């Protein structure tokens, strides 16, 4: 059995939708012996309740599902005009790892990359997993990722800098996750463990053969 990768989708997507949008990436990972797992966020909100400051758009959301709600890993916090990662997300991912893991790495896109980055500071500790249940992660990839902005999360990043090999992918035309946000997560990693990779497109996970080959080469170099 190959090693497993946990894939966290973006706002308003689902695991199945994210899988369909990452076919080229998935094919490259499978060539390297990895098996990709795509959970779906457990939180669903009316579109009107999704705050603009999360910095994402929902126009690209799947429309063939059974619900008109917006799936998300994060939740709006009206008291602070911010957001937080709800316990439902933590509990769901804890159970998902127990049922489907252990995982060698974690990959996220947009909001999913933000959550993946936060969890990468202390994956087992934040999800309440023992070393027997989940071995230390070997790598982390963020496509259009960002560091959580609310004040209550800053100590976690500052005292637990991400030290596993990390790849931060930014689109030159991405106006949703701006460069300063990508840099925020990039700077949350130790200097000798992080790599920044640019692509010429916008807010998506590139699937072109040339690009996924670069990602695959990075993974081979660090794995």
């Amino acid at each position: 059995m190959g090693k497993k990768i946990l894939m966290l989708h973006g706002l308003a997507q689902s695991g199945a939708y994210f899988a369909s949008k990452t076919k080229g990436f998935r094919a490259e990972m499978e060539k390297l012996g990895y098996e990709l797992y795509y959970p779906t966020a457990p939180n669903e909100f009316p579109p009107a309740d999704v705050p603009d400051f999360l910095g994402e758009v929902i126009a690209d959301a799947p429309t063939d599902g059974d619900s008109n709600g917006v799936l998300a890993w994060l939740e709006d916090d009206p008291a602070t005009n911010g957001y937080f990662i709800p316990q439902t997300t933590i509990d769901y991912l804890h159970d998902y790892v127990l049922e489907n893991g252990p995982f060698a790495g974690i990959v996220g896109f947009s909001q999913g990359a933000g959550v993946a980055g936060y969890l990468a500071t202390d994956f087992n500790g934040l999800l309440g997993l023992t070393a027997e249940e989940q071995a230390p992660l070997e790598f982390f990839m963020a496509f259009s990722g960002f560091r959580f902005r609310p004040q209550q999360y800053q100590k976690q990043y500052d005292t637990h800098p991400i030290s596993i090999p990390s790849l931060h992918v930014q689109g030159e035309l991405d106006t949703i996750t701006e460069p300063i946000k990508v840099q925020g997560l990039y700077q949350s990693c130790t200097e000798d463990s992080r790599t920044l990779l640019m692509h010429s497109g916008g807010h998506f996970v590139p699937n072109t053969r040339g690009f996924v080959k670069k990602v695959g080469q990075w993974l081979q170099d660090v794995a």
Side-chain angles (χ1 to χ4, degrees), residues 82-112:
Y83 55 85
F84 64 97
I85 183 167
Q87 192 61 40
T88 49
T89 294
I90 298 297
D91 292 343
Y92 171 76
L93 290 175
H94 168 273
D95 293 345
Y96 192 89
V97 172
L98 290 183
E99 294 170 8
N100 300 282
F103 292 95
I106 184 170
V107 175
F109 166 65
S110 202
Q111 186 179 114

Side-chain angles (χ1 to χ4, degrees), residues 8-15 17-18 21 40-41 60-62 71-72 109:
L8 302 187
H9 62 77
L11 176 67
Q13 296 182 342
S14 66
Y17 184 79
F18 190 36
K21 289 291 187 178
T40 294
D60 192 36
L71 296 169
F109 166 65

Side-chain angles (χ1 to χ4, degrees), residues 56-207:
E56 295 184 71
V57 292
I58 61 174
D60 192 36
T63 57
D64 57 353
D66 297 326
S67 172
N68 293 321
V70 174
L71 296 169
W73 301 106
L74 302 177
E75 186 171 342
D76 181 18
D77 185 2
T80 63
N81 193 32
Y83 55 85
F84 64 97
I85 183 167
Q87 192 61 40
T88 49
T89 294
I90 298 297
D91 292 343
Y92 171 76
L93 290 175
H94 168 273
D95 293 345
Y96 192 89
V97 172
L98 290 183
E99 294 170 8
N100 300 282
F103 292 95
I106 184 170
V107 175
F109 166 65
S110 202
Q111 186 179 114
V115 173
Y118 174 68
L119 293 178
T121 63
D122 183 10
F123 192 78
N124 284 37
L126 292 172
L127 292 183
L129 298 165
T130 67
E132 290 72 28
E133 294 167 335
Q134 168 63 51
L137 290 178
E138 298 173 14
F139 61 89
F140 157 55
M141 298 185 206
F143 292 84
S144 301
F146 59 92
R147 172 171 167 153
F148 285 176
R149 289 191 299 171
Q151 185 59 40
Q152 69 263 32
Y153 296 112
Q154 302 315 304
K155 183 178 179 180
Q156 179 67 24
Y157 291 103
D158 294 341
T159 58
H160 296 81
I162 301 169
S163 59
I164 58 174
S166 61
L167 181 66
H168 305 259
V169 180
Q170 178 184 347
E172 294 176 358
L173 303 180
D174 191 345
T175 59
I176 305 303
T177 305
E178 300 97 336
I180 190 172
K181 294 180 180 179
V182 174
Q183 282 294 321
L185 184 56
Y186 179 76
Q187 296 294 340
S188 303
C189 306
T190 56
E191 189 171 350
D192 60 346
S193 68
R194 64 197 185 194
T195 300
L196 180 65
L197 185 59
M198 304 292 295
H199 68 89
S200 59
H203 194 68
F204 57 82
V205 177
N207 281 293

Side-chain angles (χ1 to χ4, degrees), residues 1-4 33-35 37 100-102:
M1 181 182 296
K3 292 185 176 181
K4 301 176 180 180
Y34 291 93
E35 186 177 2
Y37 285 73
N100 300 282

